[in-house]
Amino acid sequence: GLSDQAFVTLATNDMYCQGALVLGQSLRNHRTTRKLVVLITPQVSRLLRVILSRLFDEVIEVDLTDSADYIHLAFLKRPELGVTLTKLHCWTLTHYSKCVFLDADTLVLSNVDELFARTELSAAPDPGWPDCFNSGVFVFRPSLETHGLLLQHAADHGSFDGADQGLLNSFFSSWSTADIHKHLPFIYNLSSNTAYTYSPAFKQFGSSAKVVHFLGSAKPWNYKYNPQTGSVLDQGSGSVSQHQTSFLNLWWRVYHRSILPLYE
Ligand code: UDP
Ligand code: MN
């Protein structure tokens, strides 16, 4: 059924909550029929919890230091993987039969409920190394068994990039070869700030993007926005491309129109 499927995101602090809110609103704007879940950690303020609860069906606090022994142990062995292990917590949402994880720095541009037709682990190629999947958007099946195996893998092997993407790629290592149905089209995880060197492809397919991902260090909430012009201010670096600017403006339009009023 539809009510046992959910979109899931993660925010460990109030800044990432701004991203989660815009993402949640973008899913609502495009009339998703699935539940919306956000995982948070104890650092998230009371105010943001209240605001998140206006948009998400479930706001679930995850505290690794206070978790079951096996999680706590994995955490103590690899404290540098804190945020990564928090993301893995999405596998414990066993009251859902299938979920789609979306990073808090993603924005949905159209209805993407069709992703629930896919199976674990489905994801799109990483723009930097296409034999790896990007872990900003993935389809998964909650399972305590899988969760335990992932934590064991983290404790034993760590992560080759220090984050969830390295860990998930080494755990789901057959992704690139085993089943083409688990390769999501790139338009489900289009990085906004990658300089695409195959520009005819971007011209042909870029406008079909369904999920844009603001990966990297400059997140939308780090920019300044002018609501009069509906445009982010150029931070002076001059390195922001035209298509990136239009995705940033879209993020900010949702933030300004629908998220700021939630604070009133
Ligand atoms: N995240 C978080 N707090 C942090 C860092 C990351 O909540 O301090 C979550 C958030 O959902 C974020 C995801 O982990 O979207 C992955 O991190 P990020 O998007 O910054 O990595 P990138 O996509 O840029 O590699
Ligand atoms: Mn991201």
Side-chain angles (χ1 to χ4, degrees), residues 227-240:
Q228 266 73 50
T229 61
S231 185
V232 293
L233 305 178
D234 191 349
Q235 311 283 71
S237 66
S239 66
V240 182

Side-chain angles (χ1 to χ4, degrees), residues 29-261:
N29 287 349
H30 295 290
R31 311 225 172 285
T32 181
T33 58
R34 284 10 183 242
K35 299 280 195 215
L36 301 188
V37 177
V38 58
L39 301 176
I40 60 166
T41 50
Q43 301 92 285
V44 171
S45 69
R46 289 245 297 274
L47 175 63
L48 263 302
R49 287 166 197 242
V50 170
I51 292 173
L52 285 168
S53 69
R54 294 187 180 146
L55 202 49
F56 285 83
D57 297 295
E58 287 196 276
V59 179
I60 299 175
E61 190 184 270
V62 189
D63 184 356
L64 292 176
T65 59
D66 179 46
S67 303
D69 281 353
Y70 65 108
I71 304 178
H72 196 190
L73 198 67
F75 181 61
L76 290 179
K77 275 201 213 162
R78 298 273 178 172
E80 78 281 7
L81 294 179
V83 173
T84 298
L85 298 185
T86 309
K87 196 176 200 179
L88 299 186
H89 231 89
C90 66
W91 264 274
T92 68
L93 300 172
T94 53
H95 52 304
Y96 297 106
S97 65
K98 197 185 283 185
C99 296
V100 174
F101 184 92
L102 293 163
D103 265 7
D105 61 344
T106 60
L107 175 69
V108 163
L109 306 177
S110 65
N111 186 293
V112 290
D113 288 356
E114 69 272 14
L115 286 173
F116 290 92
R118 307 267 175 166
T119 56
E120 178 173 287
L121 185 289
S122 291
D126 185 80
W129 195 263
D131 284 343
C132 288
F133 59 84
N134 183 276
S135 61
V137 178
F138 61 88
V139 181
F140 69 102
R141 191 173 65 84
S143 150
L144 295 181
E145 191 195 349
T146 308
H147 185 236
L149 292 170
L150 278 161
L151 290 168
Q152 190 61 53
H153 195 88
D156 293 346
H157 307 287
S159 162
F160 70 77
D161 66 359
D164 56 282
Q165 180 157 311
L167 173 66
L168 289 171
N169 271 278
S170 74
F171 187 82
F172 294 102
S173 61
S174 68
W175 172 83
S176 69
T177 53
D179 181 358
I180 194 66
H181 296 109
K182 294 183 179 179
H183 285 235
L184 296 181
F186 199 52
I187 53 168
Y188 288 98
N189 188 346
L190 188 85
S191 41
S192 67
N193 51 357
T194 301
Y196 293 108
T197 49
Y198 188 12
S199 52
F202 186 82
K203 260 178 85 179
Q204 178 76 1
F205 304 115
S207 61
S208 317
K210 290 181 181 237
V211 180
V212 54
H213 185 182
F214 298 95
L215 63 81
S217 52
K219 300 305 186 196
W221 51 86
N222 298 139
Y223 287 80
K224 287 206 162 53
Y225 177 70
N226 180 342
Q228 266 73 50
T229 61
S231 185
V232 293
L233 305 178
D234 191 349
Q235 311 283 71
S237 66
S239 66
V240 182
S241 70
Q242 188 51 51
H243 69 266
Q244 187 181 357
T245 301
S246 62
F247 290 136
L248 286 167
N249 291 345
L250 204 57
W251 188 96
W252 270 99
R253 215 170 305 145
V254 175
Y255 186 75
H256 210 261
R257 196 177 285 167
S258 305
I259 304 307
L260 279 182

